[in-house]
Amino acid sequence: MSNESTILEFLLLGCSDVREIQLICFAIFLLIYLAAFIGNTLVVTAVIMSSHLHSPMYFFLANLSIMDLGYISVTMLKAMPNSLLNSRLISYSECIAQVFFLFFFISSDFFLLTVMAYDRYIAICDPLHYGVIVNKVACIRMAALTWISGLLYATVHTGATFAIPFCSNIINQFFCEIPQLLKLSCSDLYLLEVVALGFSAFLGLGCFGYIVVSYVEIFKAVFRTPSAQARNKALSTCIPHLMVVSLFLFTGASANLKIVSSSLPGLDSVVAIAYCALPPVMNPVIYSMRNKEIKAVLRKLYARSLNKHIKGKRDGSAL
């Protein structure tokens, strides 16, 4: 194929040629997606339904869960039917959409984690002014800024990637991934994406640097606090966020640095699953396990739904 105008669809080779392994891939993708969907939906539901969770920290957490749902849906909702139906095709427009929305949700996720670090910094280092600085309007503006920044970031990357003419339509992955697409380039226009990736690295390091500096100041303030109870309360709100940031950065770095060898393409898919699936699956688990308020609200919601179910059965049997 001489250039991109002749390519109408791509061939995804991420899963095995063996039918049994394809079905195993489908089962794995389905379990991963259900875990992420249930976990993040429960977090959003808990935040919406409980007035105790109507605070900036949980508002941002609900936004994070929505981003994570979008993040994992972009790849898994295409990978699952492809594995089940033994299909490898994805249209050119679908590939563009997949790259765009994947970058949109991933970048918005990271920007929001940076905003959440700012929220924790103000809450712990300047608690007297927290209600004034991080008020309702400020929260909405910061959340909107993360979504808009993700939109602009995704637009730049998608435009730079698909400005490149492709000499092949075979993608060695189960979704449209930019590093794999760049391997199909047959011109020097890939420099556009190299520049875009350089900008991404600069932006990412800036956000990472801000998170590190914020937590240095946070831990200084926490360990200066004389009350052990206050220290434990502060740490209980910071440690989950720190764990989520670490997981996000570790999986993202593994994918971008391509730790796996090019001679072992099967491991590329494993790394891709790690950075596409682990953060959306583990984020609600991390926050739920470490946060007593969320656990309490989820228990109440479960007890309420169970009581309604039992009452419905009793009413049905009475009739």
Side-chain angles (χ1 to χ4, degrees):
M1 297 185 185
S2 58
N3 55 55
E4 64 175 331
S5 64
T6 62
I7 295 179
L8 299 177
E9 58 190 12
F10 291 96
L11 203 61
L12 302 173
L13 301 182
C15 215
S16 173
D17 294 333
V18 181
R19 183 60 182 150
E20 288 76 10
I21 297 179
Q22 288 179 343
L23 293 175
I24 292 172
C25 286
F26 167 74
I28 292 171
F29 292 152
L30 179 62
L31 289 173
I32 288 171
Y33 186 74
L34 287 176
F37 181 82
I38 292 170
N40 287 288
T41 302
L42 284 174
V43 170
V44 174
T45 304
V47 172
I48 292 173
M49 297 295 289
S50 175
S51 59
H52 297 293
L53 302 183
H54 291 177
S55 65
M57 182 176 74
Y58 295 108
F59 170 73
F60 293 134
L61 181 56
N63 273 268
L64 182 69
S65 290
I66 292 170
M67 290 173 185
D68 283 342
L69 279 174
Y71 179 2
I72 198 167
S73 296
V74 170
T75 53
M76 293 300 170
L77 290 184
K78 184 63 179 177
M80 284 191 292
N82 277 6
S83 300
L84 182 63
L85 302 175
N86 193 22
S87 171
R88 298 179 178 182
L89 296 178
I90 182 170
S91 71
Y92 191 84
S93 57
E94 283 179 321
C95 190
I96 293 174
Q98 197 171 63
V99 168
F100 175 81
F101 284 108
L102 185 62
F103 265 93
F104 171 54
F105 287 115
I106 288 177
S107 56
S108 298
D109 214 327
F110 190 44
F111 295 144
L112 185 63
L113 289 172
T114 307
V115 168
M116 292 172 77
Y118 171 75
D119 170 68
R120 291 299 83 207
Y121 169 77
I122 299 297
I124 293 170
C125 298
D126 194 8
L128 296 178
H129 297 97
Y130 179 73
V132 177
I133 298 172
V134 190
N135 54 43
K136 184 178 180 180
V137 175
C139 288
I140 293 172
R141 285 177 178 171
M142 285 189 284
L145 183 62
T146 62
W147 288 98
I148 293 169
S149 299
L151 182 67
L152 296 174
Y153 181 83
T155 301
V156 169
H157 267 292
T158 307
T161 301
F162 289 93
I164 300 169
F166 301 115
C167 294
S168 172
N169 70 336
I170 299 174
I171 300 174
N172 192 28
Q173 191 54 274
F174 64 89
F175 65 97
C176 286
E177 185 186 39
I178 283 185
Q180 297 295 337
L181 286 167
L182 293 180
K183 292 179 182 179
L184 311 182
S185 171
C186 52
S187 92
D188 291 335
L189 286 176
Y190 73 89
L191 290 173
L192 288 172
E193 182 56 25
V194 170
V195 171
L197 287 172
F199 172 72
S200 302
F202 174 77
L203 194 61
L205 287 173
C207 291
F208 175 69
Y210 180 82
I211 292 172
V212 169
V213 171
S214 297
Y215 270 99
V216 168
E217 295 301 318
I218 286 170
F219 285 123
K220 282 182 182 178
V222 167
F223 291 115
R224 282 198 303 262
T225 304
S227 170
Q229 185 178 0
R231 282 199 303 270
N232 292 335
K233 185 177 180 181
L235 288 173
S236 69
T237 63
C238 292
I239 289 176
H241 178 257
L242 204 53
M243 291 170 67
V244 167
V245 170
S246 300
L247 179 65
F248 184 90
L249 292 175
F250 175 75
T251 55
S254 298
N256 289 316
L257 295 175
K258 289 297 173 186
I259 294 172
V260 295
S261 170
S262 59
S263 62
L264 298 172
L267 290 181
D268 278 346
S269 296
V270 174
V271 172
I273 291 173
Y275 83 82
C276 286
L278 274 182
V281 170
M282 293 305 299
N283 288 355
V285 175
I286 291 169
Y287 273 103
S288 299
M289 291 291 288
R290 299 286 308 180
N291 194 295
K292 293 180 181 179
E293 291 180 319
I294 289 182
K295 286 194 285 188
V297 170
L298 290 176
R299 286 194 199 100
K300 286 180 182 178
L301 290 175
Y302 175 74
R304 191 183 303 170
S305 63
L306 186 62
N307 289 334
K308 285 183 180 180
H309 180 68
I310 293 172
K311 185 179 179 181
K313 277 192 171 182
R314 287 176 180 173
D315 291 343
S317 60
L319 292 173

